[in-house]
Amino acid sequence: MTPVPPSIRRWAVFALALGGFGIGTTEFVAMGLLPSIADTLGVSEPTAGHVISAYALGVVVGAPLIAAITARVSRRTLLVGLMIAFTVGNVVTVLAPNYGFLMAARFVAGLPHGAYFGVAALVAAHLAGPRDRAKAVGQVMLGLSVANVLGVPAATWLGESLGWRVAFALVVVIGLLTILALVRFMPDLSDMRVTNPMTELSALARPQVWFTLLVGVVGFGGMFAFYTYLNSALTTVTGVSVSLVPVAMMLFGLGMVAGNIVGGYIADRSVPMGILIGLVATGVSLALFGLTLQNVWAAMILSFAIGLSGASTIPALQTRLMDVADDAQTLAAALNHSALNIANAAGAWLGGVVIAAGHGYRSPSILGALLTIAGIVMLGVALATQRRTANVGAAATAITRP
């Protein structure tokens, strides 16, 4: 690999993070604008909520599909192409004349999501080198976290003031700026090896890839169960006013920003330890949130702690997927975001199940703590299986030596 000057590397990672900022903004802003979308398009609010599911479905479908079929494409060209597709999807969202059109537009906008983050993580790790690769992955993911602190509130305010279409127009502007930044600052990456569709699809035959994805689905399902019902938990159990809910949301987002930074440093020292520390800290924070929810100060502090601990796991998970995928790194890295979107949907659904069963708004965070324990168990199984496979391979090699 030809050394990349530090200034070029910093600007390249900034361009990647800017794309993450735009993706994070479009993913979450619809949640706060559902009443406006429903009113404009003449549908009920629950029906309007399906546009969120359409985006998530696009992520789940697009991540493996795009990663496989674009395996031979230059990483630089692919990043620019994915951001163009993302921007076009949001342009169509702004112009959508009816509900059906909007559903299709949100699905299209979600398609590049997982592939973009997967390729961006690989590129950032490549530019940073082996010593700082997880830190670079965390810096790219900062864009997604900062979106929750700045992008989503700003877009929501614009959408409430000027109409929901303006919120997505802001995302279009961010997408255009990202395309310009990628073209201007991204090196040609000609020293990054491309593969082929069959090689990328081989990731699906690797047990360690599936183990790692399951750790993400189960472990992060708990965090999303908490986050989905945070508003209701604070207003019904803690008893805070609605005006304080955005403060808790902002603290959660700030925790995610810090978590990506901290998690990158930990993972560069030990990837398995980065996942384990993140899951343990998330489980403890979720349990404490459920037990101390009536105290407003505890609820606010723990909202920050859950964001921090949860996000700290992401760089390590992303890096482990790159490690265990061998030559199929693009598909494996992209699948991480499919897994996180499945965790989002599953966590929200399970949280709703325990609330509907009469356990109250404390129950999603307690459920979340139990899910993180399951994620820790899954991590233990993955590491034990990996160690056993390595020992068998070493023994076989020793036997065949003359």
Side-chain angles (χ1 to χ4, degrees):
M1 171 183 172
T2 304
V4 178
S7 60
I8 297 296
R9 184 169 62 244
R10 284 193 293 269
W11 279 108
V13 172
F14 169 78
L16 295 172
L18 182 61
F21 179 77
I23 290 174
T25 300
T26 201
E27 180 179 17
F28 294 111
V29 71
M31 297 177 184
L33 296 175
L34 287 182
S36 177
I37 294 172
D39 183 61
T40 302
L41 299 180
V43 298
S44 67
E45 191 170 333
T47 300
H50 293 160
V51 302
I52 298 172
S53 302
Y55 183 92
L57 181 61
V59 177
V60 173
V61 171
L65 183 64
I66 294 174
I69 65 177
T70 61
R72 297 183 186 275
V73 179
S74 155
R75 304 297 89 175
R76 184 180 188 274
T77 301
L78 180 55
L79 284 168
V80 174
L82 289 169
M83 191 46 58
I84 290 173
F86 168 79
T87 304
V88 168
N90 281 281
V91 168
V92 178
T93 297
V94 173
L95 302 176
N98 54 51
Y99 173 72
F101 211 90
L102 180 62
M103 285 284 287
R106 297 316 293 152
F107 177 79
V108 171
L111 286 173
H113 177 129
Y116 177 86
F117 276 119
V119 175
L122 290 171
V123 169
H126 175 77
L127 293 175
R131 290 183 58 187
D132 298 316
R133 58 187 185 138
K135 182 171 69 175
V137 170
Q139 289 169 347
V140 170
M141 297 304 297
L142 269 178
L144 189 60
S145 299
V146 173
N148 281 289
V149 181
L150 298 177
V152 173
T156 301
W157 177 79
L158 281 174
E160 290 175 344
S161 303
L162 303 174
W164 62 268
R165 296 179 191 274
V166 178
F168 291 101
L170 174 63
V171 175
V172 171
V173 173
I174 298 170
L176 292 172
L177 290 174
T178 302
I179 293 168
L180 293 174
L182 289 171
V183 171
R184 173 66 180 83
F185 299 120
M186 188 59 61
D188 64 13
L189 302 174
S190 57
D191 54 347
M192 281 192 75
R193 186 167 61 88
V194 296
T195 57
N196 59 71
M198 293 308 298
T199 298
E200 291 297 338
L201 288 171
S202 70
L204 301 178
R206 299 181 182 276
Q208 287 301 319
V209 169
W210 287 106
F211 277 131
T212 307
L213 291 172
L214 284 172
V215 171
V217 170
V218 177
F220 274 86
M223 189 180 77
F224 286 120
F226 151 84
Y227 186 69
T228 302
Y229 299 99
L230 178 58
N231 187 326
S232 298
L234 291 173
T235 54
T236 60
V237 181
T238 311
V240 304
S241 65
V242 175
S243 61
L244 274 180
V245 172
V247 176
M249 300 268 189
M250 185 181 70
L251 287 170
F252 177 83
L254 288 171
M256 291 189 70
V257 171
N260 275 297
I261 297 172
V262 172
Y265 279 101
I266 297 173
D268 275 327
R269 283 142 186 84
S270 171
V271 170
M273 191 58 64
I275 299 173
L276 179 61
I277 291 173
L279 288 175
V280 170
T282 302
V284 171
S285 300
L286 285 167
L288 288 174
F289 182 87
L291 295 173
T292 64
L293 185 53
Q294 286 179 305
N295 184 296
V296 63
W297 289 106
M300 293 295 174
I301 292 170
L302 288 166
S303 293
F304 174 85
I306 293 168
L308 188 155
S309 57
S312 72
T313 315
I314 295 177
L317 275 173
Q318 190 80 67
T319 304
R320 176 169 170 78
L321 276 170
M322 289 154 53
D323 287 343
V324 300
D326 198 15
D327 291 333
Q329 292 189 357
T330 302
L331 178 59
L335 283 171
N336 191 38
H337 298 275
S338 293
L340 293 179
N341 272 267
I342 292 171
N344 190 347
W349 175 71
L350 288 171
V353 168
V354 294
I355 291 170
H359 298 295
Y361 285 103
R362 294 178 187 270
S363 58
S365 58
I366 302 298
L367 169 70
L370 296 175
L371 287 173
T372 57
I373 293 173
I376 292 167
V377 171
M378 185 63 65
L379 175 64
V381 172
L383 294 176
T385 304
Q386 187 177 33
R387 193 178 302 113
R388 189 182 311 116
T389 302
N391 290 338
V392 169
T397 302
I399 292 172
T400 56
R401 282 177 182 164

